[in-house]
Amino acid sequence: RLHAEFAEVDCVYTVIGMKPNQDYFNVAAGITGYFMKDKLSGALRYEGKFGDGILDNTVYAQLIYRF
């Protein structure tokens, strides 16, 4: 439960969710390479979130050809 109110307003509201407070560790790494006199490039990136009850992994891949 999260209780909050707006400044200078007589209104209080409560937000209820399954897990409103979660702590996690966020990791990200990436690499980019250029080939063929910079006409071709490739990139790879990883992002991960780790914590109590949290496991989220994402991989991005990109390939670009310039002409």
Side-chain angles (χ1 to χ4, degrees):
R1 264 177 203 214
L2 176 65
H3 299 283
E5 61 185 272
F6 293 104
E8 300 179 17
V9 177
D10 188 26
C11 177
V12 177
Y13 63 95
T14 302
V15 177
I16 300 173
M18 292 182 67
K19 295 181 181 181
N21 295 323
Q22 292 184 345
D23 295 325
Y24 59 87
F25 184 66
N26 193 16
V27 177
I31 188 166
T32 302
Y34 295 94
F35 311 97
M36 297 173 44
K37 298 182 181 178
D38 293 344
K39 285 189 167 193
L40 180 66
S41 66
L44 189 61
R45 180 175 172 81
Y46 168 79
E47 293 181 10
K49 291 181 184 176
F50 305 96
D52 187 26
I54 299 173
L55 179 59
D56 184 13
N57 294 290
T58 306
V59 176
Y60 300 95
Q62 182 179 46
L63 184 64
I64 298 173
Y65 181 74
R66 295 170 185 82
F67 53 92

